[in-house]
Amino acid sequence: MTTLYIIGNGFDLYHGLHTNYSDFHDFLSCHGEEDLIDSMERYWGHYDVLHGEHTLWSDLESALGEYNVKDIMDDMFEGHTLDIDHISSSIGEVDAEVTENFVPLRERLNEQFSSWVRSMDFSRISRKSLYGFDPSGLFLVFNYTDTLEKVYGVSSSQVLHIHGDAGNLADELIVGHDKLYKEVPQEDDFYDRTEYQHQIASVINGLYKDTAKIISRHHEFFSQLSSIDTVVVYGHSIADVDLPYFQEIKKNIQPNATWHISYHGDSLPDVNKRVSNLGVSNVTYFNM
């Protein structure tokens, strides 16, 4: 195999699947998870006034990396003042904010995200004409869906679902950010905030996408790329959170490899900037 295909979410959108993060928001809303939506918007990302939406529902993974532990703790402690006559009750209220409201968020998000991805309907999806497509190539898939296998008949032996395969119920679907939190001392009042900080950090870092660890786990895949002289990217914006994978690919393929990268709408300037930062020069672009 001399051609590597990299598949991003734009590939599924191009085929009519409802895989925008805004669709995830709608899925949560339809399944009575308004409290999860509210909690996520409370602690991660921000409301984008220009586009009239919360950043979670335009770029979930980047938004998960927008957090401030001090603000999270201050929010949890707000309104909880020490009642000298009921100390245990005062501490219990703060404990509940952390252990009952915040700590479960990671597990709830992962569960609902997996349910959403695995609910995708392929019944109306059909093949499309794809730029430079060869089903005998090698495929690195950032999506969780098995569109390639179901729609194009690509053998699973040619495909690596780098963040998990929704078609395999045993697979963990990895979604997360790239901003690992390193704990710093917090100011204490009556409450010892150290343990609360540990619990909050555990949730935040539990949503950290450890790209180095994932690359190491799939070392065999990346080490077989030495013969690749052509890379075709379908529907991936080369966002910062996934940049380490592209750097690993560039390191392992032929140094003079040709890259063919898709863009959509007016995204070409942003894609071109990211490609330049990657240090790839032998590039052609195509609209998708």
Side-chain angles (χ1 to χ4, degrees), residues 3 18 74 101 107 117 120 126 179 189 205 212 219 229 248:
T3 301
H18 299 289
D74 288 347
N101 295 333
E107 184 175 351
V117 172
M120 295 297 161
S126 59
K179 302 292 190 301
D189 43 27
N205 288 339
H219 170 74
D229 60 18
E248 185 69 16

Side-chain angles (χ1 to χ4, degrees), residues 10-17 124-131 133 147 151-152 234 288:
F11 183 82
D12 278 347
L13 292 171
Y14 182 63
H15 286 81
L17 288 174
R124 298 184 179 179
I125 305 304
S126 59
R127 295 189 182 194
K128 289 181 175 287
S129 176
L130 296 170
Y131 177 95
F133 182 76
T147 309
V151 180
Y152 290 90
Y234 294 132
M288 182 175 177

